[in-house]
Amino acid sequence: MWLLRIAWRNFCYRSLSSVLTTISLALGVALVVMVLAVFGIVTEAFSRNAQVGYNLVVGPKGSALQLTLNSVYYLSQPIENLPFTEYMEFFDAPARAEMVRKYGGDPALGERDGVYYPMIAGGYAIPLALGDYLGEFRVVGTTPDFFEKLRHGPTLEEPFTMREGRALESYSDDYGYYEAVLGSRVAAHMNLSVGDTFSSTHGDPEGKGHGQKFTVVGVLAPTGTPNDRATFVNLEGFYLQENHAKPLTGEETIVPPSEAPDDPGGAMPLTIPEREVTSILVRTGMPMMGVVLENQVNESLRSQAAAPVGEIAKLMNAIIGPLLAALLVITLITCVVAAVGVLVAIYNSMNDRRRDIAVMRALGARRGTVTGVILLESFLVALIGALAGWFLAHASIWAFSGEIEDRTGVQVGILTTSAYEWYIFPLVLILAALAGILPAASAYRTDVGTNLAA
């Protein structure tokens, strides 16, 4: 214990040099801890958001990753659109016939079950239509099933809840086909609440605004998913916006709808040949049927199916993982540089301490004792620097925890740690031992007679 006391007094005696060296090491450790924390937050955010209750996303042929990014995370741009009849393939004959009666189209569509219907029995298929924006946020046209059937949370059992108002309806007497539900972040950023109206812009945040306005009927409670950054509108209202109808060729068979609501404004839903969907969120009744359905969809000429979890794992392994690993290597090099600073600081002080060491030796201290004091001094700098760096990193993360939760949905606290953080302390102590060896060897070789006579 008295060796530690001597080392601490040496630390305090050269307080300015010791503190500056410790701060250098603390900043290196803080950088490493923050990089590990960012890695953990990014991994959790992507992994959690890739699991929102459905197991497949179906869209046009093209990049499966792009399909996942624009349908699950509302990033990237949609590839193309699918005909509405592709969405109808997930329903049985009665449901298809009802769609024909509500929207108008070829009655033959309702005379058979959909091709994919047997594989999603007990599950669901929810259409998404993308292409508009509210400010910087994506506008998503969908059906009430989105809020009734999708689940989120760690166990995928939590339903969507409204902070204000209610969920979408297909048609309401109050607002017709033009209802909207805002994600929590959209409502806060755009300063909108229930009862407010807005116009979306076509194709781009800076694009041309549509004339017809949607009325906000609900605001989602925070979910920690990309849905917090989305604006959901009634699919029928989305279709009725300018330039959203698919042009007809004149060869289609269209029987007018017989069950469409009697809208006071005269608005009528688009017929089935005029409808398109950007993607379809699919949950199969039996999980094992997901693979069968994915293969069958991918064998078709028109559409493809992607498993979001698998695509995000590929993205993490191929791009994000190596980038974070490179960043981690850079920060570890920073720690090594800081350790070299410890070595230089202690070694430079050896000339001033040779007489003190000679006195210790003359009073009976062994060479090993003097060497131990120098090594302990190096360990003290490393330990204090590592602890200070760890607390600095976690205090910084805690200070920005609200912003992190808003942007990623990941809740972090001051004591939230990653699995790899605890390897930092032994690593820093090893670096400290290496940094202390050279000064300790110099102390070991100090000549008592020469330095006492000097």
Side-chain angles (χ1 to χ4, degrees):
M1 183 59 72
W2 64 274
L3 290 180
L4 183 61
R5 192 178 306 160
I6 294 174
W8 175 248
R9 285 181 177 176
N10 284 336
F11 181 93
C12 296
Y13 181 72
R14 298 167 182 82
S15 56
L16 180 60
S17 173
S18 300
V19 168
L20 291 177
T21 306
T22 304
I23 290 175
S24 172
L25 188 61
L27 290 176
V29 171
L31 277 174
V32 174
V33 173
M34 283 194 280
V35 168
L36 290 173
V38 168
F39 180 80
I41 290 170
V42 170
T43 303
E44 184 175 344
F46 271 96
S47 301
R48 177 197 297 182
N49 295 335
Q51 302 180 58
V52 284
Y54 47 84
N55 46 0
L56 288 178
V57 179
V58 177
K61 288 287 188 186
S63 167
L65 177 59
Q66 189 175 8
L67 174 63
T68 300
L69 290 179
N70 68 55
S71 298
V72 179
Y73 297 95
Y74 310 126
L75 303 171
S76 184
Q77 294 296 320
I79 306 170
E80 285 183 4
N81 289 322
L82 287 173
F84 193 78
T85 50
E86 195 73 9
Y87 166 63
M88 295 175 69
E89 297 295 349
F90 292 90
F91 295 87
D92 60 6
R96 290 162 60 90
E98 183 182 356
M99 291 179 188
V100 173
R101 293 193 296 272
K102 287 176 64 177
Y103 310 133
D106 187 352
L109 291 171
E111 295 175 358
R112 64 171 177 84
D113 289 336
V115 175
Y116 309 128
Y117 169 71
M119 283 167 279
I120 70 161
Y124 53 75
I126 299 173
L128 299 183
L130 305 175
D132 282 359
Y133 287 84
L134 172 59
E136 62 182 278
F137 302 101
R138 188 65 66 84
V139 171
V140 182
T142 189
T143 63
D145 283 348
F146 189 96
F147 302 101
E148 294 173 3
K149 296 182 177 179
L150 288 186
R151 295 292 183 269
H152 64 93
T155 59
L156 298 178
E157 295 177 351
E158 298 177 24
F160 288 110
T161 56
M162 295 292 160
R163 192 176 66 194
E164 298 180 54
R166 58 171 174 80
L168 291 173
E169 293 179 3
S170 298
Y171 178 89
S172 71
D173 293 335
D174 294 329
Y175 309 110
Y177 295 109
Y178 300 99
E179 294 188 346
V181 167
L182 306 181
S184 58
R185 192 172 171 207
V186 178
H189 188 84
M190 301 300 293
N191 196 27
L192 292 173
S193 58
V194 172
D196 292 337
T197 60
F198 66 89
S199 296
S200 56
T201 58
H202 185 68
D204 187 88
E206 305 298 328
K208 179 184 176 184
H210 291 296
Q212 182 62 50
K213 292 187 175 182
F214 288 93
T215 300
V216 179
V217 297
V219 176
L220 279 176
T223 62
T225 70
N227 298 314
D228 294 342
R229 305 191 303 272
T231 301
F232 302 92
V233 300
N234 191 302
L235 186 62
E236 304 307 323
F238 184 91
Y239 283 145
L240 291 173
Q241 298 289 297
E242 183 183 3
N243 295 325
H244 282 193
K246 182 182 177 182
L248 298 176
T249 63
E251 299 178 354
E252 298 86 356
T253 300
I254 301 177
V255 174
S258 57
E259 297 182 3
D262 185 15
D263 184 68
M268 289 287 290
L270 294 187
T271 61
I272 290 174
E274 295 175 291
R275 292 167 167 255
E276 294 180 303
V277 295
T278 304
S279 56
I280 306 164
L281 309 179
V282 178
R283 179 184 176 87
T284 54
M286 298 176 63
M288 65 179 65
M289 296 304 291
V291 177
V292 179
L293 177 60
E294 183 178 7
N295 292 334
Q296 184 165 345
V297 172
N298 287 334
E299 289 174 358
S300 70
L301 299 177
R302 182 176 289 169
S303 56
Q304 67 170 344
V309 175
E311 294 304 318
I312 293 308
K314 291 177 186 175
L315 177 67
M316 294 294 296
N317 293 332
I319 300 176
I320 297 176
L323 285 177
L324 289 173
L327 192 57
L328 183 60
V329 169
I330 293 172
T331 53
L332 286 174
I333 291 173
T334 305
C335 276
V336 173
V337 172
V340 172
V342 175
L343 184 153
V344 173
I346 297 178
Y347 189 81
N348 286 342
S349 70
M350 291 307 298
N351 286 333
D352 301 331
R353 298 160 63 178
R354 290 188 187 283
R355 185 175 176 80
D356 299 339
I357 293 172
V359 170
M360 289 177 60
R361 292 286 313 282
L363 292 175
R366 298 178 179 177
R367 289 178 184 271
T369 302
V370 175
T371 303
V373 169
I374 301 300
L375 285 174
L376 277 176
E377 191 175 335
S378 179
F379 278 125
L380 273 176
V381 172
L383 186 61
I384 295 172
L387 289 173
W390 188 88
F391 279 109
L392 175 63
H394 281 271
S396 301
I397 294 169
W398 176 73
F400 291 97
S401 59
E403 185 73 12
I404 292 171
E405 186 174 351
D406 283 346
R407 292 182 176 275
T408 67
V410 178
Q411 295 179 339
V412 292
I414 193 169
L415 295 180
T416 302
T417 59
S418 67
Y420 302 104
E421 275 181 36
W422 304 113
Y423 294 107
I424 294 175
F425 290 96
L427 174 65
V428 171
L429 292 179
I430 291 172
L431 289 175
L434 295 174
I437 286 177
L438 191 59
S442 177
Y444 184 87
R445 293 194 301 268
T446 298
D447 183 81
V448 176
T450 302
N451 286 284
L452 284 178

